[in-house]
Amino acid sequence: MARKPIKARKRFGQNFLQDDMVIADIISAIDPKEDQHIIEIGPGHGALTALLLRKAGQLDVIEIDRDLVPKLKSKFKQFQQLVVHEADALAFDFTSLAKNSEKLRVIGNLPYNITTPLLFHLLSQSQCIDDMCFMLQREVVERICAQPGSKTYGRLSIMIQYQCEASQLFIVPPEAFEPQPKVESAIVYLRPLQKQDADGITISDLNTVVTKAFSQRRKTISNTLKNMMSQTVLQSLNIDLQQRPETLSIEQYIAITRAWSATNK
Ligand code: SAM
């Protein structure tokens, strides 16, 4: 039987999941357990929420659309383990949900317009996060998971993979949503690494170096970084400086950042 068309707000990036097979696949990829505390960003009408409630211990959902919040509360009122927060996930303090140093699992079919800032907001609080599983635009997932040498490898790949283990799980076609987005989506799995200090650099310094390196993708590293660092320092790193930015590994960017931070501070 055809479903009723759903009212969707473009400004909140609303594309609601309506394919039961895809919903089941996402839940089995997340594999929620009774002793876990799960946070869902953007529950919408509760397509994922309903199945999560059957399996998860504690579930907190964060929804910005104030018209959806009362609907969610009433639809799931019998579930004691559910807390509905009417809030903007971009400004949300996730650490406040992690009680007794527990680690959270964060999931969601994310609004495409806030994906990158939201990932960085979450990673800034990664000390309380065990893992994350998100539906994003396929192109963004490919950029996140890209390896050096590929066309999609860039700032996003390096900044996310520096902080997380990242893998693409599966692709979801536009027909799985109502309304249908113009592009394909994909599921990405992220597990924060919690190891940054060992490299002796800050995320902000790495970001400065990588942003500069990729500011002119077609130029060599030597050319792009010449105003930022002395050639002598760069040459001391044993990196082929005639390479283009997309061929350097994350370890090489860490080495460049370490040298830049040391000479710049
Ligand atoms: N999870 C539902 C599903 O799969 O059908 C809805 C997914 S829809 C792509 C994104 C959801 O995120 C919408 O419910 C939207 O209102 C909500 N949203 C958008 N921006 C948000 C924000 N900044 N904070 C929290 N929720 C947000």
Side-chain angles (χ1 to χ4, degrees), residues 65-83:
D65 186 338
R66 62 174 178 200
D67 291 343
L68 289 179
V69 168
K71 291 186 183 157
L72 283 162
K73 284 186 176 161
S74 127
K75 185 170 181 178
F76 298 117
K77 62 175 182 288
Q78 76 273 32
F79 292 95
Q80 305 289 313
Q81 82 265 43
L82 175 70
V83 180

Side-chain angles (χ1 to χ4, degrees), residues 132-222:
M132 302 181 268
C133 192
F134 295 128
M135 169 111 69
L136 310 176
Q137 257 176 276
R138 176 181 180 176
E139 180 250 322
V140 176
V141 172
E142 285 174 353
R143 284 200 284 130
I144 288 175
C145 300
Q147 294 302 307
S150 78
K151 274 204 180 114
T152 44
Y153 181 71
R155 188 181 84 92
L156 192 63
S157 334
I158 296 166
M159 295 312 297
I160 300 277
Q161 289 176 39
Y162 176 63
Q163 301 175 75
C164 285
E165 176 195 315
S167 47
Q168 175 173 326
L169 299 188
F170 54 90
I171 290 163
V172 179
E175 301 73 50
F177 305 87
E178 172 68 36
Q180 290 185 17
K182 291 198 175 67
V183 292
E184 282 185 314
S185 305
I187 305 289
V188 68
Y189 179 79
L190 302 167
R191 179 182 280 276
L193 293 170
Q194 331 267 0
K195 55 102 210 184
Q196 288 85 332
D197 289 352
D199 296 314
I201 60 167
T202 65
I203 290 170
S204 139
D205 282 357
L206 179 66
N207 187 41
T208 306
V209 168
V210 173
T211 305
K212 182 75 182 163
F214 282 90
S215 61
Q216 289 165 300
R217 241 184 131 92
R218 301 178 67 82
K219 287 202 173 171
T220 64
I221 279 290
S222 162

Side-chain angles (χ1 to χ4, degrees), residues 12 31 48 69 81 98 118 204 214 241:
F12 291 145
D31 192 19
L48 296 170
V69 168
Q81 82 265 43
L118 184 58
S204 139
F214 282 90
L241 300 175

Side-chain angles (χ1 to χ4, degrees), residues 12-17 40-44 47-48 62-65 68 87-90 109-111 114:
F12 291 145
Q14 292 179 346
N15 299 98
F16 299 107
L17 272 167
E40 185 189 0
I41 298 173
L48 296 170
I62 302 163
E63 175 56 63
I64 201 169
D65 186 338
L68 289 179
D88 179 353
L90 282 171
N109 169 14
L110 295 188
I114 62 162

